[in-house]
Amino acid sequence: MRLVILGTATALTTAQQDNTSLFLDAPSGSLLIDCPGSPFQKLLRIGADPGQLHGVLITHAHPDHIYGLPALIHELWLMGRITPLEIYANAHALEVAQQLIQFFKLGDKPLPLRLNPIPDAEQALIIDNQEFQVHTSPGRHSIPVVAVRITPRSRGGRVVTYSSDTSPCPALVNLAQGSDILIQECASNRPNDVHTTPEEAGQMAAQAEVKELILIHYSERLAQDAEGTVQRAQKFFPGPVRLAKDFEVLDLG
């Protein structure tokens, strides 16, 4: 089982970074977490078969997390897929997904789409199969958002929590508690109500007692001072800290 980081940028991409999204690659069912541009091509690029994609989990409905969904559905139809595609999202994001599907008339295609609402509850069990479980909890952002925890069933498997876009909140700390890896956004240079600073990322990683902190969804300004950004988080978190890179692979065991 592997987790591939397909992009690391904020809503404003750079020449080196695309919008943030993740891909959980597992034999029992792969999962795309957030869906910005060219998802089909990115899956091909990392050697994954888009036809075997189990589903897509949308953490929230801001454009940089959902705008690639119509293109993905369209390309899966063009390749001849007829097996259902599961779409998981909270009520707000699911409504936006439905609007996109209707606007592009994708519901008329023979590719079945199953829309699965994510409840507004902490540590809700979304997916449970023979290889892993996926739980979600609400974050704190300008629109409804969920954080995601992936728990492998194999002994020695590494637990990963992905914050998505959020300011610091107890629900995220609870969800991430004891994780091997916290993939935490740090889009802000200064504290605010919708995003996280490197210092706040370090504080939440320490509170959740995770083993490793990977910073993602970071701005170009923070990327230009990568060492300084990491050091800001390390003031509060004693474990390993680094910036995520586009197309890096995490072995979950």
Side-chain angles (χ1 to χ4, degrees):
M1 191 186 308
R2 62 174 181 161
L3 186 70
V4 185
I5 298 177
L6 299 178
T8 59
T10 62
L12 184 62
T13 59
T14 72
Q16 291 76 35
Q17 297 172 262
D18 200 357
N19 297 131
T20 294
S21 64
L22 312 174
F23 178 67
L24 176 62
D25 193 5
S28 61
S30 58
L31 182 69
L32 183 63
I33 303 175
D34 283 332
C35 194
S38 304
F40 192 95
Q41 189 268 347
K42 287 179 181 175
L43 294 182
L44 293 176
R45 179 172 171 178
I46 64 172
D49 180 0
Q52 298 300 313
L53 180 65
H54 165 75
V56 182
L57 192 158
I58 305 294
T59 63
H60 65 295
H62 276 153
D64 55 313
H65 295 261
I66 198 172
Y67 76 93
L69 183 61
L72 174 64
I73 295 171
H74 189 239
E75 289 192 78
L76 289 174
W77 168 69
L78 288 174
M79 76 175 294
R81 173 169 170 156
I82 58 174
T83 55
L85 179 69
E86 308 287 343
I87 299 174
Y88 306 89
N90 60 35
H92 179 258
L94 207 58
E95 180 182 357
V96 174
Q98 288 177 300
Q99 291 171 349
L100 290 171
I101 291 167
Q102 292 168 1
F103 181 83
F104 288 103
K105 296 181 170 55
L106 296 170
D108 300 335
K109 308 300 184 187
L111 169 62
L113 302 173
R114 294 178 179 168
L115 305 181
N116 302 279
I118 294 177
D120 185 22
E122 286 197 37
Q123 302 188 45
L125 179 61
I126 305 304
I127 299 174
D128 187 4
N129 61 37
Q130 62 185 8
E131 287 188 296
F132 62 85
Q133 291 181 325
V134 174
H135 292 81
T136 63
S137 287
R140 183 183 295 162
H141 195 43
S142 56
I143 62 173
V145 65
V146 296
V148 181
R149 179 184 176 109
I150 302 165
T151 305
R153 289 190 176 277
S154 62
R155 179 174 295 181
R158 297 201 291 172
V159 177
V160 177
T161 299
Y162 164 54
S163 69
S164 190
D165 294 13
T166 185
S167 57
C169 63
L172 173 57
V173 173
N174 292 338
L175 183 70
Q177 196 67 44
S179 295
D180 293 279
I181 302 171
L182 172 60
I183 302 176
Q184 173 66 45
E185 75 110 296
C186 68
S188 296
N189 195 43
R190 297 179 180 177
N192 60 66
D193 294 333
V194 294
H195 286 295
T196 302
T197 66
E199 289 87 352
E200 291 170 333
Q203 289 170 349
M204 284 192 291
Q207 292 167 9
E209 299 180 307
V210 304
K211 294 180 181 177
E212 181 180 358
L213 173 61
I214 299 178
L215 302 175
I216 202 168
H217 200 270
Y218 49 86
S219 66
E220 185 173 17
R221 177 179 180 179
L222 293 175
Q224 289 173 348
D225 183 18
E227 183 177 350
T229 299
V230 167
Q231 289 176 347
R232 290 171 62 180
Q234 287 176 325
K235 292 178 182 179
F236 300 91
F237 177 65
V241 182
R242 61 184 175 85
L243 298 184
K245 300 298 181 184
D246 287 36
F247 292 106
E248 75 168 284
V249 178
L250 304 177
D251 182 9
L252 302 190

